[in-house]
Amino acid sequence: MKILLTNNDLNEALYDVSNLGFVPTMGSLHKGHISLIKKSLKECKRTIVSIFVNPTQFNNKNDFINYPRSNNKDLLILKKLKIDFLYMPRVKDIYYLKRKSSIKLREKDKILCAKVRKGHFEGVIDVIKRLTKLIKPYKVYFGEKDFQQLYLIKKYIPKKRDIKIISCKTIRDNNKLAFSSRNKLLSKNELIKARKITKQLFLLKKRLSKSKNINQLIFKKKNELINLFNIRFDYIELRNIFNLRTSNKVKNSKLFIAYYINKVRLIDNF
Ligand code: AMP
């Protein structure tokens, strides 16, 4: 595994590399990331993983500072996986030109996380544009865990780039809680809480398919969870998977949730 720290390293290493799979991450790697990397290793001739905690996608400075980082552990994981390249750029390697995102979300896309985390997806889409411009991959891998991110990247990354966006299933622990770097910020008790909440939400999704009054059922469950677990919701909404419009039927829809356990914000979709 070659470790690339600057754009010069990157250009030298990728000179004449083709059929390259790219897995962008913010590090603190877990089984979710590993599944993306394994898919790339299987499908592409070469695989590059990036670790870059992108400052422009954090709408809250403390969230950026407190974001979990574990570079040494990540290095061991990646070496074991036998990826070809690890790219760990500095902020100035990515933002050598102007730092402001050129992405403007359309009004109809300002929903779910885009509504509550102002500027977040503008930062995400912009950094993916910059990274793919530098790396020129054939395929880029994203997790359905961040379904709205995947949806917007497909929509806003210019088609002329000729990059294949590959979506990958959400990986969960034995209790169905989705792996997430942010889980590392949870105490043991909070982790137990997150697992119980996930179980309830899976049950809710099941019940929705048999219910005539979907919105009422969601509203009831939301209040029940708030009272039971002392959590705060940003949203819990059923939306169509193809256009992310609010939906009142389970077919072709997913339940999207974002909630806080104390200060830790978790998102998922079912
Ligand atoms: P992050 O490091 O959180 O920016 O995530 C990097 C990539 O891993 C994104 O495409 C995520 O959607 C994906 N990812 C994160 N958690 C999971 C998971 N539990 N299962 C599958 N993919 C995931």
mmCIF file of all heavy atoms in Angstrom, residues 23-27 30-33 35-36 57 67 141-146 149 168-172 178-181, ligand 1:
data_model
loop_
_atom_site.group_PDB
_atom_site.id
_atom_site.type_symbol
_atom_site.label_atom_id
_atom_site.label_comp_id
_atom_site.label_asym_id
_atom_site.label_seq_id
_atom_site.Cartn_x
_atom_site.Cartn_y
_atom_site.Cartn_z
ATOM 1 N N VAL A 23 -12.669 4.871 -2.920
ATOM 2 C CA VAL A 23 -13.565 4.887 -1.756
ATOM 3 C C VAL A 23 -13.227 6.108 -0.889
ATOM 4 O O VAL A 23 -12.250 6.088 -0.142
ATOM 5 C CB VAL A 23 -13.440 3.590 -0.911
ATOM 6 C CG1 VAL A 23 -14.456 3.612 0.238
ATOM 7 C CG2 VAL A 23 -13.615 2.352 -1.774
ATOM 8 N N PRO A 24 -14.025 7.185 -1.015
ATOM 9 C CA PRO A 24 -13.773 8.359 -0.169
ATOM 10 C C PRO A 24 -14.314 8.138 1.247
ATOM 11 O O PRO A 24 -15.455 7.692 1.404
ATOM 12 C CB PRO A 24 -14.565 9.479 -0.867
ATOM 13 C CG PRO A 24 -15.446 8.832 -1.871
ATOM 14 C CD PRO A 24 -15.147 7.383 -1.955
ATOM 15 N N THR A 25 -13.490 8.456 2.248
ATOM 16 C CA THR A 25 -13.940 8.323 3.644
ATOM 17 C C THR A 25 -13.411 9.487 4.474
ATOM 18 O O THR A 25 -12.522 10.215 4.044
ATOM 19 C CB THR A 25 -13.426 7.020 4.315
ATOM 20 O OG1 THR A 25 -12.081 7.238 4.790
ATOM 21 C CG2 THR A 25 -13.448 5.828 3.387
ATOM 22 N N MET A 26 -13.959 9.579 5.684
ATOM 23 C CA MET A 26 -13.421 10.545 6.642
ATOM 24 C C MET A 26 -12.679 9.794 7.752
ATOM 25 O O MET A 26 -12.482 10.325 8.853
ATOM 26 C CB MET A 26 -14.541 11.413 7.215
ATOM 27 C CG MET A 26 -15.214 12.252 6.141
ATOM 28 S SD MET A 26 -15.914 13.779 6.750
ATOM 29 C CE MET A 26 -17.194 13.162 7.797
ATOM 30 N N GLY A 27 -12.301 8.538 7.464
ATOM 31 C CA GLY A 27 -11.512 7.771 8.428
ATOM 32 C C GLY A 27 -12.343 7.224 9.565
ATOM 33 O O GLY A 27 -13.561 7.162 9.478
ATOM 34 N N HIS A 30 -14.660 1.485 9.871
ATOM 35 C CA HIS A 30 -15.438 0.409 10.496
ATOM 36 C C HIS A 30 -15.904 -0.545 9.394
ATOM 37 O O HIS A 30 -15.553 -0.371 8.214
ATOM 38 C CB HIS A 30 -16.625 0.991 11.275
ATOM 39 C CG HIS A 30 -17.454 1.956 10.484
ATOM 40 N ND1 HIS A 30 -18.216 1.573 9.402
ATOM 41 C CD2 HIS A 30 -17.616 3.299 10.586
ATOM 42 C CE1 HIS A 30 -18.829 2.627 8.905
ATOM 43 N NE2 HIS A 30 -18.472 3.689 9.585
ATOM 44 N N LYS A 31 -16.746 -1.525 9.804
ATOM 45 C CA LYS A 31 -17.135 -2.562 8.836
ATOM 46 C C LYS A 31 -17.923 -2.027 7.645
ATOM 47 O O LYS A 31 -17.946 -2.642 6.585
ATOM 48 C CB LYS A 31 -17.942 -3.655 9.543
ATOM 49 C CG LYS A 31 -17.065 -4.480 10.463
ATOM 50 C CD LYS A 31 -17.805 -5.651 11.064
ATOM 51 C CE LYS A 31 -16.831 -6.449 11.915
ATOM 52 N NZ LYS A 31 -17.506 -7.250 12.926
ATOM 53 N N GLY A 32 -18.599 -0.885 7.814
ATOM 54 C CA GLY A 32 -19.307 -0.258 6.694
ATOM 55 C C GLY A 32 -18.310 0.156 5.621
ATOM 56 O O GLY A 32 -18.447 -0.212 4.440
ATOM 57 N N HIS A 33 -17.263 0.893 6.024
ATOM 58 C CA HIS A 33 -16.219 1.305 5.071
ATOM 59 C C HIS A 33 -15.565 0.074 4.434
ATOM 60 O O HIS A 33 -15.321 0.043 3.220
ATOM 61 C CB HIS A 33 -15.112 2.082 5.793
ATOM 62 C CG HIS A 33 -15.548 3.367 6.427
ATOM 63 N ND1 HIS A 33 -15.485 3.589 7.783
ATOM 64 C CD2 HIS A 33 -16.047 4.507 5.888
ATOM 65 C CE1 HIS A 33 -15.918 4.820 8.049
ATOM 66 N NE2 HIS A 33 -16.270 5.390 6.927
ATOM 67 N N SER A 35 -16.693 -2.803 3.807
ATOM 68 C CA SER A 35 -17.489 -3.474 2.764
ATOM 69 C C SER A 35 -17.366 -2.724 1.426
ATOM 70 O O SER A 35 -17.313 -3.343 0.362
ATOM 71 C CB SER A 35 -18.946 -3.597 3.191
ATOM 72 O OG SER A 35 -19.577 -2.353 3.096
ATOM 73 N N LEU A 36 -17.299 -1.398 1.485
ATOM 74 C CA LEU A 36 -17.127 -0.609 0.251
ATOM 75 C C LEU A 36 -15.769 -0.926 -0.384
ATOM 76 O O LEU A 36 -15.645 -1.117 -1.606
ATOM 77 C CB LEU A 36 -17.180 0.892 0.561
ATOM 78 C CG LEU A 36 -18.524 1.636 0.515
ATOM 79 C CD1 LEU A 36 -19.546 1.048 1.448
ATOM 80 C CD2 LEU A 36 -18.345 3.117 0.832
ATOM 81 N N GLN A 57 -17.771 20.658 5.106
ATOM 82 C CA GLN A 57 -19.090 20.024 5.192
ATOM 83 C C GLN A 57 -19.649 20.012 6.613
ATOM 84 O O GLN A 57 -20.733 19.482 6.853
ATOM 85 C CB GLN A 57 -19.065 18.616 4.617
ATOM 86 C CG GLN A 57 -18.322 17.591 5.439
ATOM 87 C CD GLN A 57 -18.193 16.285 4.683
ATOM 88 O OE1 GLN A 57 -17.525 16.198 3.675
ATOM 89 N NE2 GLN A 57 -18.853 15.252 5.181
ATOM 90 N N TYR A 67 -15.022 15.288 15.700
ATOM 91 C CA TYR A 67 -15.230 14.136 14.818
ATOM 92 C C TYR A 67 -14.147 13.089 15.111
ATOM 93 O O TYR A 67 -12.966 13.429 15.208
ATOM 94 C CB TYR A 67 -15.177 14.565 13.345
ATOM 95 C CG TYR A 67 -15.691 13.466 12.448
ATOM 96 C CD1 TYR A 67 -17.054 13.320 12.234
ATOM 97 C CD2 TYR A 67 -14.822 12.542 11.882
ATOM 98 C CE1 TYR A 67 -17.543 12.281 11.448
ATOM 99 C CE2 TYR A 67 -15.306 11.499 11.101
ATOM 100 C CZ TYR A 67 -16.661 11.378 10.891
ATOM 101 O OH TYR A 67 -17.136 10.335 10.138
ATOM 102 N N TYR A 141 -17.290 4.536 -4.775
ATOM 103 C CA TYR A 141 -18.189 3.735 -3.943
ATOM 104 C C TYR A 141 -18.761 4.556 -2.792
ATOM 105 O O TYR A 141 -18.016 5.206 -2.056
ATOM 106 C CB TYR A 141 -17.428 2.513 -3.409
ATOM 107 C CG TYR A 141 -17.040 1.573 -4.524
ATOM 108 C CD1 TYR A 141 -15.917 1.828 -5.301
ATOM 109 C CD2 TYR A 141 -17.835 0.484 -4.845
ATOM 110 C CE1 TYR A 141 -15.575 1.003 -6.353
ATOM 111 C CE2 TYR A 141 -17.497 -0.361 -5.896
ATOM 112 C CZ TYR A 141 -16.373 -0.093 -6.646
ATOM 113 O OH TYR A 141 -16.040 -0.915 -7.705
ATOM 114 N N PHE A 142 -20.092 4.471 -2.641
ATOM 115 C CA PHE A 142 -20.777 5.182 -1.558
ATOM 116 C C PHE A 142 -21.760 4.242 -0.858
ATOM 117 O O PHE A 142 -22.323 3.341 -1.477
ATOM 118 C CB PHE A 142 -21.566 6.379 -2.106
ATOM 119 C CG PHE A 142 -20.690 7.455 -2.676
ATOM 120 C CD1 PHE A 142 -20.441 7.500 -4.043
ATOM 121 C CD2 PHE A 142 -20.107 8.405 -1.855
ATOM 122 C CE1 PHE A 142 -19.628 8.492 -4.582
ATOM 123 C CE2 PHE A 142 -19.288 9.392 -2.384
ATOM 124 C CZ PHE A 142 -19.045 9.432 -3.744
ATOM 125 N N GLY A 143 -22.011 4.510 0.434
ATOM 126 C CA GLY A 143 -22.916 3.663 1.213
ATOM 127 C C GLY A 143 -24.335 4.198 1.228
ATOM 128 O O GLY A 143 -24.544 5.420 1.293
ATOM 129 N N GLU A 144 -25.289 3.284 1.209
ATOM 130 C CA GLU A 144 -26.704 3.682 1.313
ATOM 131 C C GLU A 144 -27.054 4.168 2.714
ATOM 132 O O GLU A 144 -28.116 4.729 2.934
ATOM 133 C CB GLU A 144 -27.606 2.497 0.936
ATOM 134 C CG GLU A 144 -27.624 2.249 -0.545
ATOM 135 C CD GLU A 144 -28.436 1.015 -0.933
ATOM 136 O OE1 GLU A 144 -29.115 0.426 -0.067
ATOM 137 O OE2 GLU A 144 -28.357 0.638 -2.113
ATOM 138 N N LYS A 145 -26.155 3.938 3.649
ATOM 139 C CA LYS A 145 -26.337 4.488 5.003
ATOM 140 C C LYS A 145 -26.587 6.002 4.917
ATOM 141 O O LYS A 145 -27.375 6.558 5.667
ATOM 142 C CB LYS A 145 -25.080 4.173 5.824
ATOM 143 C CG LYS A 145 -24.808 5.062 7.006
ATOM 144 C CD LYS A 145 -25.604 4.619 8.199
ATOM 145 C CE LYS A 145 -25.223 5.304 9.484
ATOM 146 N NZ LYS A 145 -25.005 6.722 9.453
ATOM 147 N N ASP A 146 -25.871 6.644 3.990
ATOM 148 C CA ASP A 146 -26.055 8.083 3.762
ATOM 149 C C ASP A 146 -26.818 8.247 2.446
ATOM 150 O O ASP A 146 -26.268 8.697 1.443
ATOM 151 C CB ASP A 146 -24.689 8.774 3.701
ATOM 152 C CG ASP A 146 -23.925 8.580 4.988
ATOM 153 O OD1 ASP A 146 -24.169 9.334 5.924
ATOM 154 O OD2 ASP A 146 -23.112 7.645 5.070
ATOM 155 N N GLN A 149 -27.087 11.617 0.699
ATOM 156 C CA GLN A 149 -25.778 11.992 0.130
ATOM 157 C C GLN A 149 -25.572 11.306 -1.223
ATOM 158 O O GLN A 149 -25.215 11.944 -2.223
ATOM 159 C CB GLN A 149 -24.684 11.571 1.118
ATOM 160 C CG GLN A 149 -23.283 11.584 0.573
ATOM 161 C CD GLN A 149 -22.255 11.282 1.657
ATOM 162 O OE1 GLN A 149 -22.040 12.090 2.524
ATOM 163 N NE2 GLN A 149 -21.635 10.118 1.611
ATOM 164 N N CYS A 168 -23.710 1.001 -2.222
ATOM 165 C CA CYS A 168 -23.426 -0.215 -1.444
ATOM 166 C C CYS A 168 -24.360 -0.298 -0.235
ATOM 167 O O CYS A 168 -24.642 0.716 0.408
ATOM 168 C CB CYS A 168 -21.983 -0.181 -0.949
ATOM 169 S SG CYS A 168 -20.776 0.146 -2.232
ATOM 170 N N LYS A 169 -24.787 -1.495 0.050
ATOM 171 C CA LYS A 169 -25.741 -1.753 1.141
ATOM 172 C C LYS A 169 -25.208 -1.286 2.499
ATOM 173 O O LYS A 169 -24.002 -1.317 2.739
ATOM 174 C CB LYS A 169 -26.008 -3.259 1.255
ATOM 175 C CG LYS A 169 -26.809 -3.827 0.130
ATOM 176 C CD LYS A 169 -28.258 -4.038 0.559
ATOM 177 C CE LYS A 169 -29.225 -4.115 -0.589
ATOM 178 N NZ LYS A 169 -29.319 -2.947 -1.459
ATOM 179 N N THR A 170 -26.122 -0.916 3.364
ATOM 180 C CA THR A 170 -25.747 -0.524 4.740
ATOM 181 C C THR A 170 -25.356 -1.771 5.539
ATOM 182 O O THR A 170 -26.081 -2.763 5.530
ATOM 183 C CB THR A 170 -26.943 0.160 5.436
ATOM 184 O OG1 THR A 170 -27.318 1.286 4.657
ATOM 185 C CG2 THR A 170 -26.590 0.592 6.847
ATOM 186 N N ILE A 171 -24.215 -1.670 6.212
ATOM 187 C CA ILE A 171 -23.754 -2.785 7.041
ATOM 188 C C ILE A 171 -24.106 -2.493 8.501
ATOM 189 O O ILE A 171 -23.873 -1.383 8.990
ATOM 190 C CB ILE A 171 -22.225 -2.997 6.888
ATOM 191 C CG1 ILE A 171 -21.838 -3.143 5.412
ATOM 192 C CG2 ILE A 171 -21.757 -4.196 7.700
ATOM 193 C CD1 ILE A 171 -22.427 -4.341 4.698
ATOM 194 N N ARG A 172 -24.671 -3.503 9.166
ATOM 195 C CA ARG A 172 -25.176 -3.323 10.534
ATOM 196 C C ARG A 172 -24.543 -4.327 11.490
ATOM 197 O O ARG A 172 -24.088 -5.391 11.043
ATOM 198 C CB ARG A 172 -26.701 -3.503 10.537
ATOM 199 C CG ARG A 172 -27.415 -2.507 9.652
ATOM 200 C CD ARG A 172 -28.916 -2.758 9.541
ATOM 201 N NE ARG A 172 -29.504 -1.738 8.678
ATOM 202 C CZ ARG A 172 -29.799 -0.507 9.081
ATOM 203 N NH1 ARG A 172 -29.640 -0.169 10.346
ATOM 204 N NH2 ARG A 172 -30.278 0.378 8.223
ATOM 205 N N ALA A 178 -26.645 0.445 12.436
ATOM 206 C CA ALA A 178 -25.710 0.684 11.320
ATOM 207 C C ALA A 178 -24.356 1.109 11.879
ATOM 208 O O ALA A 178 -24.288 1.926 12.807
ATOM 209 C CB ALA A 178 -26.267 1.783 10.422
ATOM 210 N N PHE A 179 -23.284 0.537 11.334
ATOM 211 C CA PHE A 179 -21.952 0.994 11.726
ATOM 212 C C PHE A 179 -21.808 2.445 11.304
ATOM 213 O O PHE A 179 -22.248 2.845 10.224
ATOM 214 C CB PHE A 179 -20.865 0.149 11.051
ATOM 215 C CG PHE A 179 -20.757 -1.222 11.642
ATOM 216 C CD1 PHE A 179 -21.279 -2.327 10.981
ATOM 217 C CD2 PHE A 179 -20.143 -1.420 12.869
ATOM 218 C CE1 PHE A 179 -21.196 -3.600 11.531
ATOM 219 C CE2 PHE A 179 -20.052 -2.687 13.423
ATOM 220 C CZ PHE A 179 -20.581 -3.776 12.757
ATOM 221 N N SER A 180 -21.180 3.234 12.159
ATOM 222 C CA SER A 180 -20.960 4.646 11.866
ATOM 223 C C SER A 180 -19.786 5.126 12.702
ATOM 224 O O SER A 180 -19.626 4.705 13.852
ATOM 225 C CB SER A 180 -22.223 5.443 12.232
ATOM 226 O OG SER A 180 -21.913 6.814 12.328
ATOM 227 N N SER A 181 -18.974 6.014 12.124
ATOM 228 C CA SER A 181 -17.845 6.554 12.895
ATOM 229 C C SER A 181 -18.366 7.260 14.143
ATOM 230 O O SER A 181 -17.728 7.246 15.193
ATOM 231 C CB SER A 181 -17.048 7.535 12.047
ATOM 232 O OG SER A 181 -16.629 6.904 10.855
HETATM 233 P P1 AMP B 1 -17.779 8.584 6.052
HETATM 234 O O1 AMP B 1 -16.387 8.205 6.457
HETATM 235 O O2 AMP B 1 -18.740 8.571 7.197
HETATM 236 O O3 AMP B 1 -17.818 9.835 5.228
HETATM 237 O O4 AMP B 1 -18.284 7.411 5.109
HETATM 238 C C1 AMP B 1 -17.589 7.049 3.944
HETATM 239 C C2 AMP B 1 -18.459 6.147 3.118
HETATM 240 O O5 AMP B 1 -18.812 4.983 3.857
HETATM 241 C C3 AMP B 1 -19.793 6.827 2.725
HETATM 242 O O6 AMP B 1 -20.083 6.502 1.377
HETATM 243 C C4 AMP B 1 -20.779 6.195 3.667
HETATM 244 O O7 AMP B 1 -22.109 6.155 3.164
HETATM 245 C C5 AMP B 1 -20.207 4.794 3.795
HETATM 246 N N1 AMP B 1 -20.714 4.149 5.039
HETATM 247 C C6 AMP B 1 -20.694 4.661 6.279
HETATM 248 N N2 AMP B 1 -21.276 3.806 7.146
HETATM 249 C C7 AMP B 1 -21.684 2.740 6.418
HETATM 250 C C8 AMP B 1 -22.365 1.524 6.740
HETATM 251 N N3 AMP B 1 -22.727 1.214 7.967
HETATM 252 N N4 AMP B 1 -22.610 0.654 5.737
HETATM 253 C C9 AMP B 1 -22.241 0.938 4.457
HETATM 254 N N5 AMP B 1 -21.598 2.066 4.101
HETATM 255 C C10 AMP B 1 -21.314 2.958 5.062
#
